[in-house]
């Protein structure tokens, strides 16, 4: 016998349903509408007969008195080798206009995090080929890294570049999860990955900006369920890219308001910490494989004390902060080396030489930051010879840590470059030893390895003007 109920109220995406016989458990999927096309997820039980659910599809056409059918199951995601190179929505439907897909296995998206006994305690570096990240904020294999920044500072570009650099080099699988992002970005990413030849080892899952908050809230769980299959069943390393984790929190706040919960600070949901933890704790490094996650985090109004940014910080092993000031100075990637940090940057993990160099770079850049006010008021000539040397080193380091990206070649006209960690460290060490004291600053701007700066100054200027 099917368990059926009746719609008693519709408030936007929130639908109340009355069941006379058996009350469906939390997270149960319900079907409503003439063809069962409206999909609801139970989020709370009001009393012995009523449940309050959130719609994962548009509620257009839904009215009081309509029949609702209990499916008896939760939201499921397709898993298996068949899903590689395909693009999915939150329900596991393909949205890439290719042939229909037959998947043998579907798993519930509500999984528990791996127990501590199964987690790996090893700490390994995950190289990205981007100088400023590998040198100053090294990422952890099986860890979580956040790209923090306001609107338009380059989070999505940096994320796309990391996919380009790591997917080809790593033997694992990449899963891109778009939470509340624009469909244009999804289409561009799909074609870029196809051109780069990395699509066969990639899966894309999208809950777009125009979809209801329920779909945007659950799409992260769908992507994680796929990632867990490759880690636990296939024993492969997974690179999980999330753009944007703030939209997950935002969707949760919308759902919380629709469900009638009392908002907490700045209007966020009172359950924000729990909801974020349920998602983040599933991203882990186990004995069978690792899920390494890189997440873009939009920071509202560039305010890093915003509760969404604060709660996300606590889950990460590396925080990469993008600065609007550096964007205005033309220093790309616009990563702030003094605000960004990584818990991998210790002598025991990265080695004594790398750690000492990173500390010296930070110290030089911090001294330059303190001297900027004096330079603005009195001019560079009023500084002592020692301070002038510090400024020269810092400005050369800033320019050397810029890098042309493969994903921006069509806009800049400069060929993208991937730089090994050893080449990046060697370049910084030679700049700190004043080997490039007499080389123009511009010669170090937008290059790969340091040896490219050996070009004559005129040649560098000609190349830059030709690119512009």
């Amino acid at each position: 016998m099917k368990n059926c109920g009746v719609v008693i109220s519709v408030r936007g995406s929130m639908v109340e349903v009355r069941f006379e016989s058996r009350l469906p458990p939390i997270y149960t999927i319900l079907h409503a509408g003439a063809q069962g096309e409206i999909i609801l997820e139970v989020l709370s039980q009001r009393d012995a007969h009523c449940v309050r659910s959130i719609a994962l599809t548009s509620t257009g056409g839904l009215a009081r008195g309509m029949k609702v059918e209990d499916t008896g199951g939760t939201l499921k995601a397709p898993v298996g080798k068949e899903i590689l190179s395909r693009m999915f929505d939150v329900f596991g439907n393909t949205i890439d206009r290719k042939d229909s897909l037959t998947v043998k296995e579907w798993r519930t998206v509500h999984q528990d995090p791996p127990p501590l006994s199964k987690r790996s305690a090893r700490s390994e570096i995950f190289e990205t080929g981007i100088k400023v990240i590998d040198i100053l904020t090294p990422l952890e294999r099986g860890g979580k890294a956040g790209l923090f920044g306001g609107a338009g500072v380059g989070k999505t570009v940096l994320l796309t570049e990391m996919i380009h650099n790591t997917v080809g080099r790593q033997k694992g699988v990449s899963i891109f999860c778009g939470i509340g992002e624009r469909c244009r970005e999804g289409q561009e990413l799909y074609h870029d990955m196809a051109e780069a030849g990395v699509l066969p080892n990639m899966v894309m899952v999208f809950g777009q900006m125009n979809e209801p908050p329920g779909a945007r809230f659950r799409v992260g769980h769908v992507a994680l369920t796929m990632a867990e299959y490759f880690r636990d069943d296939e024993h492969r390393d997974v690179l999980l890219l999330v753009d944007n984790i703030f939209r997950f929190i935002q969707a949760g706040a919308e759902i919380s308001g629709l469900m009638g919960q009392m908002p907490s600070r700045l209007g966020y949901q009172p359950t924000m910490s729990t909801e974020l933890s349920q998602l983040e704790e599933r991203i882990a490094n186990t004995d069978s494989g690792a899920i390494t996650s890189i997440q873009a985090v939009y920071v509202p109004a560039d305010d890093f004390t915003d509760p969404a940014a604060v709660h996300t910080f606590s889950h990460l092993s590396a925080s990469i902060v993008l600065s609007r000031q550096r964007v205005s100075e033309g220093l790309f990637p616009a990563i702030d080396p003094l605000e960004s940090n990584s818990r991998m940057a210790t002598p025991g993990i990265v080695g004594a030489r790398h750690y000492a160099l990173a500390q010296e770079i930070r110290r030089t850049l911090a001294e330059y930051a303190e001297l900027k006010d004096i330079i603005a008021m009195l001019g560079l000539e009023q500084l002592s010879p020692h301070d002038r040397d510090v400024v020269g080193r810092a400005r050369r380091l800033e320019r050397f840590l810029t890098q042309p990206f493969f994903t921006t070649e069509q806009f800049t006209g400069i060929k993208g470059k991937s730089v090994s960690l050893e080449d990046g460290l060697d370049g910084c060490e030679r700049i700190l030893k004043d080997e490039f004291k007499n080389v123009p600053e511009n010669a170090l701007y937008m290059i790969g390895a340091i040896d490219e700066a050996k070009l004559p100054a005129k040649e560098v200027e000609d190349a830059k003007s030709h690119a512009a």
Side-chain angles (χ1 to χ4, degrees):
M1 289 288 292
K2 287 184 178 177
N3 184 29
C4 293
V6 174
V7 174
I8 56 174
S9 76
V10 183
R11 297 189 187 96
S13 292
M14 194 279 291
V15 182
E16 279 191 39
V17 186
R18 183 176 180 82
F19 289 86
E20 292 299 339
S21 54
R22 189 177 74 252
L23 207 61
I26 302 293
Y27 299 145
T28 301
I29 292 294
L30 312 175
H31 285 176
Q35 308 294 325
E37 71 280 3
I38 298 170
I39 301 172
L40 313 172
E41 184 181 53
V42 176
L43 286 191
S44 74
Q45 297 176 337
R46 300 280 321 278
D47 52 42
H49 293 287
C50 287
V51 295
R52 195 170 267 185
S53 62
I54 198 78
L56 304 183
T57 56
S58 170
T59 53
L62 197 62
R64 277 191 248 180
M66 277 191 172
K67 192 175 105 174
V68 177
E69 191 178 300
D70 175 7
T71 63
T74 58
L75 185 66
K76 289 183 168 65
V79 295
K81 290 180 180 176
E82 304 89 0
I83 68 172
L84 288 171
S85 81
R86 302 303 297 267
M87 187 187 283
F88 298 90
D89 65 9
V90 71
F91 305 109
N93 303 317
T94 54
I95 53 173
D96 50 10
R97 296 186 180 180
K98 288 186 180 177
D99 297 337
S100 59
L101 184 69
T102 305
V103 181
K104 295 174 186 172
E105 189 182 354
W106 293 70
R107 290 185 184 173
T108 177
V109 302
H110 303 285
Q111 305 278 2
D112 292 326
L116 287 172
S117 57
K118 289 189 177 178
R119 298 193 181 215
S120 172
R122 286 184 307 165
S123 293
E124 296 176 43
I125 296 296
F126 182 87
E127 274 196 48
T128 64
I130 299 169
K131 287 181 284 193
V132 66
I133 293 176
D134 291 341
I135 294 169
L136 296 176
T137 55
L139 307 188
E140 179 185 11
R141 176 184 171 269
K144 296 180 277 282
L147 306 178
F148 290 83
V153 292
K155 296 184 296 299
T156 303
V157 171
L158 191 55
L159 205 60
T160 312
E161 183 70 9
M162 285 190 193
I163 298 172
H164 184 281
N165 287 3
T166 57
V167 171
R169 197 166 58 234
Q170 306 294 325
K171 296 286 189 287
V173 176
S174 284
I175 296 178
F176 183 89
C177 177
I179 305 178
E181 289 300 303
R182 302 160 190 84
C183 57
R184 167 185 61 77
E185 293 174 344
Q187 186 186 27
E188 287 173 0
L189 178 70
Y190 183 84
H191 290 299
D192 287 347
M193 295 303 103
E195 285 175 19
V198 296
L199 209 53
N201 283 317
M202 241 188 129
V203 184
M204 297 186 193
V205 192
F206 283 94
Q208 291 165 205
M209 193 177 267
N210 62 321
E211 293 184 26
R216 286 181 270 128
F217 188 71
R218 283 287 171 240
V219 72
H221 299 91
V222 171
L224 257 173
T225 305
M226 294 174 173
E228 286 166 342
Y229 165 81
F230 288 110
R231 179 192 66 191
D232 301 333
D233 293 45
E234 300 268 337
H235 305 301
R236 297 172 76 174
D237 283 357
V238 182
L239 177 62
L240 176 65
L241 303 125
V242 184
D243 189 11
N244 186 307
I245 203 72
F246 173 77
R247 307 288 178 205
F248 168 78
I249 294 170
Q250 199 174 41
E254 288 179 52
I255 291 169
S256 177
L258 288 164
M259 297 296 288
Q261 293 177 338
M262 184 73 74
S264 67
R265 186 166 162 252
L266 294 185
Y268 287 107
Q269 64 272 40
T271 52
M272 175 169 64
S273 179
T274 309
E275 290 167 359
L276 191 61
S277 299
Q278 285 171 344
L279 188 76
E280 296 280 10
E281 288 303 304
R282 288 169 63 181
I283 302 168
N285 191 357
T286 66
D287 297 330
S288 57
I291 299 176
T292 304
S293 177
I294 301 170
Q295 307 168 8
V297 187
Y298 168 68
V299 180
D302 293 344
D303 178 16
F304 285 90
T305 63
D306 188 272
V310 170
H311 280 84
T312 308
F313 265 122
S314 62
H315 290 280
L316 305 173
S317 54
S319 301
I320 299 166
V321 178
L322 290 108
S323 154
R324 202 171 297 280
Q325 173 68 29
R326 295 179 78 80
V327 171
S328 66
E329 292 172 9
L331 300 172
F332 297 103
I335 294 169
D336 189 328
L338 300 178
E339 291 291 328
S340 305
N341 62 75
S342 169
R343 66 182 183 85
M344 301 297 286
T346 61
I349 297 172
V350 298
R353 175 179 175 247
H354 183 165
Y355 176 75
L357 266 173
Q359 291 298 95
E360 183 62 28
I361 292 164
R362 287 180 188 277
R363 195 177 302 115
T364 304
L365 294 175
E367 284 182 40
Y368 175 46
E370 289 175 4
L371 292 168
K372 277 183 177 176
D373 286 343
I374 298 171
I375 295 168
M377 288 187 291
L378 303 175
L380 191 63
E381 297 75 21
Q382 299 302 314
L383 298 178
S384 66
H386 169 74
D387 286 346
R388 277 203 294 273
D389 287 343
V390 167
V391 170
R393 283 184 215 118
R395 288 181 63 84
R396 282 168 177 77
L397 281 170
E398 280 185 339
R399 277 142 189 79
F400 176 63
L401 292 175
T402 61
Q403 191 167 336
F405 281 178
F406 291 98
T407 50
T408 58
E409 279 181 18
Q410 57 185 321
F411 307 115
T412 61
I414 305 172
K415 188 171 173 55
K417 293 184 172 71
S418 177
V419 182
S420 70
L421 174 61
E422 195 51 47
D423 285 346
L425 290 172
D426 179 55
C428 291
E429 189 173 42
R430 289 165 70 181
I431 290 170
L432 289 168
K433 286 179 177 175
D434 286 340
E435 191 176 319
F436 291 84
K437 189 174 182 179
N438 298 319
V439 173
E441 290 173 5
N442 282 350
L444 297 163
Y445 181 66
M446 285 293 172
I447 62 170
I450 193 72
D451 290 332
E452 293 177 34
K454 291 289 188 183
L455 289 166
K458 186 176 184 308
E459 228 176 286
V460 172
E461 288 302 324
D462 289 346
K464 293 285 186 293
S465 60
H466 177 69

